[in-house]
Amino acid sequence: MNARTEPEEAEPATPARPPIIRELLLVAGLFLVYKVGRQLATGHTAEAFRNAHRVWDAERWLRLPHEDAAQSLLLHGDGLVQVANTYYATVHFPATAAFLVWLYLRRPAHYVWARRVLAAVTAAALVVHLTFPLAPPRMLAATGLIDTARVYGPSVYGPPQTDTLSNQFAAMPSLHFGWALAVAVGLIAATRSRRRWLWLLHPLVTLLVIVGTANHYWLDALIASALLGVALAVIRAPRRTVTTAGRGAPAGEPAGPAGPAAEKALVGAGR
């Protein structure tokens, strides 16, 4: 029996889900490393402000838009800026967790890929946080920006000197934006709906929020995008499985072509 006549069962259409206990531990470890790693970068206040001036001057040299343009959009009303502050404080972790849970249940192969991409981006970001501490624009008087969370609420940060829950000098890269973009890319890759490109609204809204609330510079998002691009280039997404009609197609999506022609297209694939 040659490769062209082997039964289809030799290459399952639907990959098995990884053991859930192991995955819970891995994802919990990812979030823990994220929090602990940021804490390791504390205690570099003077260097963080020097780097902030460098980033601010670099943005002007690159002729990037002033962050005030994004903040002005949010300051048209107290309600809008409060929504932005709430979005910054509450969407980041739950949205990423929901994304991973959905992939685990519905697209196991894409779940493993997305988890690896997020882990790689987070690890690279923590290295930058440790080597390049950066004060956010809300702390830098030269920006002319206000700390919208402190003025309008709600705020997730206390005074930097007494804040033991987060490292406020880890602005670059922005994992708020990096994770949001990874979620959008993952959902676009894992689904087939014509409306799947609307997932890009998540990172776009996140970008407006992180810059408009003066928590990040434009360059923070650009560096996060670059790190994600490298991770996506190194960690390849799973290929879509083309299967016979009625078998192997993900729920809610069209099955592959039926008939002998489809069988011939599948047999020996990937040789």
Side-chain angles (χ1 to χ4, degrees):
M1 182 179 293
N2 57 39
R4 297 185 177 277
T5 58
E6 287 180 358
E8 187 179 356
E9 287 73 19
E11 188 174 347
T14 304
R17 295 187 186 91
I20 189 169
I21 299 300
R22 187 193 72 181
E23 293 306 309
L24 287 174
L25 292 174
L26 286 173
V27 174
L30 173 63
F31 282 93
L32 182 62
V33 169
Y34 169 78
K35 299 298 291 185
V36 173
R38 287 170 66 96
Q39 283 298 312
L40 293 176
T42 58
H44 302 281
T45 302
E47 185 180 359
F49 277 97
R50 285 195 298 270
N51 289 335
H53 283 285
R54 294 187 184 108
V55 168
W56 184 252
D57 292 340
E59 287 191 338
R60 308 291 74 78
W61 182 76
L62 292 170
R63 299 185 182 276
L64 293 178
H66 196 293
E67 280 78 358
D68 180 67
Q71 187 164 92
S72 297
L73 292 175
L74 301 182
L75 294 179
H76 283 299
D78 292 359
L80 183 59
V81 72
Q82 287 171 354
V83 168
N85 292 333
T86 302
Y87 190 96
Y88 179 85
T90 62
V91 172
H92 178 46
F93 282 109
T96 307
F99 162 69
L100 290 173
V101 169
W102 185 85
L103 284 184
Y104 180 84
L105 295 175
R106 301 296 297 275
R107 306 289 190 275
H110 282 86
Y111 163 79
V112 173
W113 165 69
R115 188 244 294 152
R116 290 172 178 168
V117 168
L118 283 171
V121 170
T122 303
L126 290 177
V127 172
V128 179
H129 293 164
L130 290 168
T131 58
F132 192 79
L134 180 65
R138 58 187 168 83
M139 294 184 183
L140 194 64
T143 66
L145 299 170
I146 66 172
D147 185 345
T148 61
R150 181 179 59 82
V151 175
Y152 297 94
S155 176
V156 294
Y157 299 124
Q161 300 81 1
T162 59
D163 187 356
T164 60
L165 296 177
S166 59
N167 174 22
Q168 298 187 44
F169 299 116
M172 179 181 287
S174 169
L175 282 178
H176 265 77
F177 181 76
W179 285 12
L181 186 58
V183 168
V185 170
L187 289 172
I188 290 170
T191 58
R192 297 181 182 179
S193 169
R194 293 180 180 178
R195 296 189 295 273
R196 68 188 186 278
W197 297 100
L198 291 175
W199 287 112
L200 289 173
L201 290 174
H202 177 41
L204 288 176
V205 171
T206 300
L207 179 61
L208 173 62
V209 165
I210 64 174
V211 175
T213 58
N215 281 292
H216 287 283
Y217 306 88
W218 296 113
L219 276 177
D220 297 340
L222 290 176
I223 297 301
S225 301
L227 294 180
L228 177 61
V230 172
L232 291 173
V234 173
I235 307 171
R236 293 186 178 183
R239 291 182 296 178
R240 296 189 184 278
T241 303
V242 181
T243 59
T244 55
R247 291 198 297 165
E253 297 181 1
E263 291 289 353
K264 293 180 179 178
L266 283 168
V267 175
R271 291 188 302 145

